[in-house]
Amino acid sequence: MPRPNARLNSMKDNRPTKNHGWTRRQLGVACTLGAGGLLTSKLVHAQDLATFERLGLHQRFLWDSPINGHTRAEAQQFLNPPEDDQYKPCKEAFPSPSVPRGTVEAIPDWDESRLFPKTRRGLWIYRSHELDEANEPPDLMIFQDGNFYVDPEGPVRVPAVLDSMIHAGELRPTVAVFVDPGQRIEPRAADDPDRGQQRSVEYDTLSNLYVRFLLEEILPFVEARIGRRTTTDPSKRLICGISSGGICAFNAAWHRPDSFGRVLSHVGSFVNIRGGHNYPYLVRTTPRKPIRVFLTTGKKDLDIPIGSWPLGNQQMAAALEYSGYESRFVFSEGGHSLRHGGSILSESLRWLVR
């Protein structure tokens, strides 16, 4: 059997194979690498959700007992390790008294979802100062795990940062929506394969269901609440999250680049929770999408049986660069928290909206 490299190097014909849009070289690479389980007898040029589910990759990995001597308790060492102590909220999180402040409205028990029925969640809506006087539709930002990002005493303090940057002319008038994952209203069934993990169902699943939820349910509610439409320009729409919320943000833009053109992922879970480790392969083999991506992770980020967060993010960064995306990757000393992400939030936003 020939060595894989020799086999690939012998494939000089780079014309598309019949009907599928793949070149013979792409097909050779996919066959050699196995395509992460996503290549079957039916060739796929993007994410084949039917195959994804048939292989069981949509199911959450359950770490109930020790694996190779490793237990769930080990994960705690990666959450807010001592290396995170050096990171403080960025200076824009402390606006001077002269900076006009926006408003934040809290909706603590929003339960109107049809796509995720029988769930309730917290929502917060930020409106920048003098938003109603703006002539153009305001920019839009959506933050997953919203309570972490909206907290005025937390490590990120998004509303304060936005106030400072808008006052400085670095951002346009903005509406920011902070969305918590759903909590199931009814007790879970005994045979529930997700064990009540609604956050993972919403954030880690690689389908388009969550972005539909944002576009079809959350955004219309928000726009009705503020009494005006937000921009429809994807280059002025940013989506952000931490951990599973980070891959969720990328997944939303991946499925709907016409709706979200800017992604900010803090310590994103590009690992095998529900198949997210396949994204580097998909990024490399799918035609480039018009999205700009900012990724972060750290030396002390999670490293557990389902994957290494530092490695997963490095692979994503390499795939984005390889495929010609506008992307930036920052590797910190820290762990699986928002401490580092908060310290560079203003820098991240400047780069994404430039």
Side-chain angles (χ1 to χ4, degrees), residues 178-216:
F178 304 86
V179 187
D180 267 355
Q183 299 291 325
R184 298 186 185 182
I185 295 174
E186 297 180 352
R188 71 176 179 88
D191 59 350
D192 175 13
D194 295 310
R195 302 194 178 185
Q197 297 293 322
Q198 185 66 25
R199 180 176 182 270
S200 178
V201 169
E202 295 181 10
Y203 288 1
D204 294 309
T205 302
L206 302 191
S207 73
N208 66 353
L209 186 59
Y210 187 80
V211 72
R212 286 185 55 207
F213 161 73
L214 294 179
L215 296 175
E216 298 174 21

Side-chain angles (χ1 to χ4, degrees), residues 1-12 25 32:
M1 185 174 186
R3 291 178 292 111
N5 286 345
R7 180 182 178 188
L8 292 180
N9 289 338
S10 68
M11 296 182 179
K12 300 300 185 183
R25 183 174 296 277
T32 300

Side-chain angles (χ1 to χ4, degrees), residues 24-319:
R24 297 184 185 279
R25 183 174 296 277
Q26 284 177 308
L27 178 58
V29 172
C31 291
T32 300
L33 300 181
L38 293 180
L39 181 68
T40 64
S41 58
K42 177 184 177 182
L43 296 178
V44 291
H45 204 169
Q47 191 168 309
D48 181 343
L49 294 176
T51 302
F52 181 82
E53 293 184 358
R54 180 177 60 79
L55 294 173
L57 295 176
H58 63 297
Q59 298 176 3
R60 180 177 174 84
F61 177 85
L62 300 175
W63 188 9
D64 291 333
S65 57
I67 299 176
N68 296 323
H70 297 282
T71 67
R72 288 178 60 90
E74 293 180 10
Q76 295 300 314
Q77 66 182 297
F78 303 103
L79 309 178
N80 295 303
E83 288 80 1
D84 275 343
D85 292 344
Q86 62 187 293
Y87 301 118
K88 310 298 181 185
C90 62
K91 66 178 183 179
E92 289 81 2
F94 306 94
S96 69
S98 64
V99 172
R101 305 303 299 270
T103 62
V104 176
E105 178 187 8
I107 300 100
D109 293 304
W110 190 83
D111 59 359
E112 302 174 21
S113 177
R114 301 181 309 279
L115 294 172
F116 297 118
K118 299 180 181 179
T119 62
R120 66 167 59 99
R121 71 194 67 232
L123 299 177
W124 294 260
I125 303 171
Y126 163 88
R127 305 176 225 194
S128 59
H129 179 66
E130 297 182 345
L131 180 69
D132 294 336
E133 299 178 15
N135 294 324
E136 298 181 358
D139 290 2
L140 176 68
M141 298 184 183
I142 299 184
F143 296 83
Q144 284 34 255
D145 284 314
N147 70 94
F148 297 151
Y149 287 92
V150 75
D151 184 355
E153 302 298 325
V156 189
R157 310 182 188 192
V158 170
V161 174
L162 296 182
D163 287 338
S164 295
M165 296 185 71
I166 291 170
H167 180 65
E170 296 180 294
L171 296 176
R172 289 168 16 92
T174 298
V175 170
V177 186
F178 304 86
V179 187
D180 267 355
Q183 299 291 325
R184 298 186 185 182
I185 295 174
E186 297 180 352
R188 71 176 179 88
D191 59 350
D192 175 13
D194 295 310
R195 302 194 178 185
Q197 297 293 322
Q198 185 66 25
R199 180 176 182 270
S200 178
V201 169
E202 295 181 10
Y203 288 1
D204 294 309
T205 302
L206 302 191
S207 73
N208 66 353
L209 186 59
Y210 187 80
V211 72
R212 286 185 55 207
F213 161 73
L214 294 179
L215 296 175
E216 298 174 21
E217 298 184 343
I218 293 297
L219 190 54
F221 172 81
V222 168
E223 291 180 336
R225 198 82 170 188
I226 67 175
R228 66 179 303 172
R229 300 290 299 274
T230 59
T231 183
T232 58
D233 182 347
S235 71
K236 298 176 181 177
R237 283 181 160 191
L238 180 147
I239 186 163
C240 174
I242 176 177
S243 190
S244 292
I247 192 174
C248 175
F250 181 82
N251 188 62
W254 179 262
H255 282 289
R256 292 296 304 271
D258 60 319
S259 294
F260 294 102
R262 303 292 181 262
V263 176
L264 177 53
S265 171
H266 294 128
V267 296
S269 298
F270 296 99
V271 295
N272 191 20
I273 298 178
R274 294 177 187 267
H277 63 302
N278 289 296
Y279 253 130
Y281 164 75
L282 293 170
V283 168
R284 287 174 178 269
T285 58
T286 303
R288 184 170 59 250
K289 299 171 186 273
I291 54 180
R292 185 179 293 166
V293 185
F294 195 113
L295 303 174
T296 76
T297 189
K299 292 181 180 179
K300 295 295 184 178
D301 206 347
L302 283 163
D303 186 10
I304 57 178
I306 54 177
S308 163
W309 269 248
L311 180 58
N313 278 275
Q314 289 177 72
Q315 291 176 329
M316 272 297 290

